[in-house]
Amino acid sequence: MFPVRDFWRRHKKKILTTAGVIGSGYFLYKQYDYYSRRLQVIQRELDNEREADELIKAQIQAHFEHIQRIADTTTLPHAIQHLQSRIEEDLDLSHLTKRLMMGKGQPNTLTLAEKLDLWENLKILSFTKMVISLWAITVLSLYIRVQVNILGRHMYVDTARGLGSSHFLEEAELVDRNDEQKFLAISDFLSNYGLNTLIPRMQVAVAEVLKSKQLRDVFDTTTLRETTIRMIKIFMSTGRPHHWLDYLMPEDNQSSITGTLSTDDDATVTNINKFDQLMMETRAVLLSAEFGNVVERSLEVGVDGLMEEMEGSVGGGGSSSTSGTPLARLVPRVSQMGPLLLEDPRKTRFIQLIRGIPEVEIFFTLLYANTMPAS
């Protein structure tokens, strides 16, 4: 009995210290084991969330690409075809050419003043038709790409908000179909409404540039390019800033012209709000300085592509006085360029020429990156 008591008395401190160390170690082990298990659970949850997020992104990307194909194969070709028919109707030059041909065959039917007046009108309207076609197909193609990117963002946000399972994802309506179709249908606004104001505004810019150009003046590709660029710049810079946007889409308080919607039920009100939101975001992108730079660069490249098409008719830009073509002989070719520019975009290289511009690709890459969360 006493040896045990003596042993305890002599080693009490060491025993208590050892026990404390062992107890602390056990406690730390239990804590470590608990947190290790907890970390494993959290890691599994994160992995599951990551897999669900990747699934959402994959399906959203698939739907986005589907919308892009619709825009490329249906929306843009339809909009351009409609635009071409309207321009041909509103800028029909046949009545001028018929009168000139009649005067040529029957010299006494037209006075010299009448002939000069007809030629002046034909000159201005031919350039107006060509420049409007160039401007419209360039800006309209960019506008529709912006629309598709805006839709891409809403498809992600609306789907990712509260999607807890792939089953729900399969049944979810990414963007209300009515809103989607109505939003894409705004691409026809230019043809249905915008041209009514665009044509006379462009005609003023063209007349301003051509007032010093005589029918006997010789044009080469350099002169024609400078003339066309100047027409576009005068048109874009005349009036209030971003006035050209009014030709592409309705003003904020004019959205109702695209269709009459009932407000009897809550769902319809929600649809109107969603559509208005899509329109406001699109307008914000189009008003940005970055998009303005893209439009300017695209029009420059478009003019260069146009010059390549006309080079055989115009002649080179050399310094020789014999190079080039008199403006009177050039006018008929100018009038023919409008319909050529507005050919089916699936068959013409013009749209691809614009899409291949590095500044344009960078802009839409950044725009798309801003519509989807970073991976």
Side-chain angles (χ1 to χ4, degrees):
M1 184 71 179
F2 290 103
V4 174
R5 184 179 299 172
D6 291 341
F7 178 83
W8 170 254
R9 188 171 52 251
R10 288 195 305 269
H11 300 287
K12 176 181 178 181
K13 190 174 182 179
K14 293 181 180 180
I15 293 172
L16 291 176
T17 301
T18 303
V21 171
I22 294 174
S24 298
Y26 180 74
F27 175 77
L28 290 174
Y29 168 77
K30 295 296 290 184
Q31 287 289 97
Y32 172 79
D33 183 63
Y34 168 78
Y35 284 112
S36 294
R37 292 177 183 274
R38 181 59 181 160
L39 285 173
Q40 290 176 2
V41 171
I42 293 174
Q43 187 62 49
R44 284 196 296 269
E45 291 176 352
L46 290 174
D47 291 341
N48 292 337
E49 289 179 4
R50 193 175 296 112
E51 290 178 2
D53 187 56
E54 291 300 323
L55 175 62
I56 291 172
K57 287 183 179 179
Q59 296 205 24
I60 293 296
Q61 180 67 23
H63 190 71
F64 178 84
E65 291 174 355
H66 174 65
I67 296 297
Q68 180 71 66
R69 285 193 297 271
I70 291 175
D72 289 343
T73 62
T74 304
T75 306
L76 182 59
H78 167 79
I80 290 178
Q81 183 180 17
H82 191 190
L83 182 67
Q84 181 184 33
S85 64
R86 278 297 315 277
I87 290 177
E88 286 296 314
E89 178 183 344
D90 293 354
L91 289 172
D92 182 15
L93 308 180
S94 60
H95 64 289
L96 296 176
T97 56
K98 285 179 181 179
R99 289 196 64 192
L100 284 170
M101 292 299 294
M102 185 181 301
K104 186 177 181 180
Q106 303 174 13
N108 296 327
T109 58
L110 292 174
T111 65
L112 178 60
E114 288 174 332
K115 287 182 181 179
L116 291 175
D117 185 61
L118 286 172
W119 268 107
E120 186 67 16
N121 288 334
L122 183 62
K123 177 182 71 174
I124 292 174
L125 292 179
S126 294
F127 273 90
T128 300
K129 187 175 184 178
M130 180 185 74
V131 177
I132 269 190
S133 299
L134 173 65
W135 184 90
I137 191 173
T138 301
V139 178
L140 185 60
S141 64
L142 294 172
Y143 172 72
I144 290 176
R145 287 192 71 180
V146 170
Q147 282 187 306
V148 171
N149 277 273
I150 296 295
L151 277 176
R153 174 170 60 188
H154 281 268
M155 284 186 294
Y156 184 90
V157 172
D158 291 351
T159 304
R161 183 185 295 135
L163 287 184
S165 68
S166 59
H167 173 71
F168 185 85
L169 179 60
E170 291 171 358
E171 295 182 351
E173 188 72 21
L174 300 178
V175 174
D176 182 85
R177 297 298 181 186
N178 180 56
D179 286 327
E180 182 180 299
Q181 293 172 5
K182 189 169 63 168
F183 179 59
L184 291 175
I186 295 295
S187 59
D188 279 334
F189 181 87
L190 174 61
S191 299
N192 292 333
Y193 303 97
L195 278 180
N196 297 333
T197 308
L198 173 60
I199 289 176
R201 294 282 179 84
M202 185 67 77
Q203 189 171 333
V204 170
V206 169
E208 173 66 22
V209 175
L210 292 181
K211 66 181 181 181
S212 61
K213 307 293 184 183
Q214 304 299 319
L215 292 173
R216 62 178 178 271
D217 291 348
V218 176
F219 273 61
D220 56 24
T221 52
T222 301
T223 307
L224 182 59
R225 183 186 187 281
E226 292 173 351
T227 301
T228 306
I229 288 289
R230 190 178 169 210
M231 291 172 180
I232 293 173
K233 286 186 175 181
I234 289 178
F235 165 73
M236 294 292 282
S237 62
T238 302
R240 59 184 176 80
H242 303 102
H243 68 91
W244 51 269
L245 186 56
D246 295 339
Y247 313 134
L248 278 178
M249 60 187 300
E251 295 180 7
D252 295 338
N253 60 352
Q254 289 183 329
S255 298
S256 59
I257 68 173
T258 59
T260 302
L261 295 176
S262 170
T263 58
D264 292 338
D265 55 52
D266 294 337
T268 306
V269 174
T270 301
N271 289 340
I272 292 175
N273 291 337
K274 171 65 75 173
F275 173 73
D276 288 342
Q277 186 178 0
L278 291 168
M279 294 294 289
M280 287 188 296
E281 292 182 14
T282 301
R283 180 176 290 274
V285 173
L286 269 57
L287 287 172
S288 68
E290 292 81 4
F291 185 76
N293 294 335
V294 165
V295 169
E296 182 178 355
R297 178 60 181 146
S298 297
L299 288 170
E300 290 176 355
V301 172
V303 171
D304 290 340
L306 181 63
M307 295 304 103
E308 291 179 8
E309 293 290 335
M310 297 189 66
E311 190 170 5
S313 302
V314 181
S319 60
S320 172
S321 60
T322 59
S323 64
T325 304
L327 180 56
R329 293 181 57 186
L330 185 61
V331 166
R333 178 58 175 165
V334 168
S335 67
Q336 295 170 359
M337 291 310 300
L340 292 177
L341 288 169
L342 296 175
E343 285 183 343
D344 189 334
R346 292 167 295 188
K347 300 177 182 178
T348 182
R349 71 180 185 91
F350 195 78
I351 296 296
Q352 298 303 321
L353 187 66
I354 295 173
R355 288 183 177 175
I357 303 172
E359 294 90 337
V360 173
E361 292 309 302
I362 291 173
F363 173 81
F364 282 105
T365 298
L366 293 175
L367 179 62
Y368 180 69
N370 288 332
T371 64
M372 297 286 284
S375 300

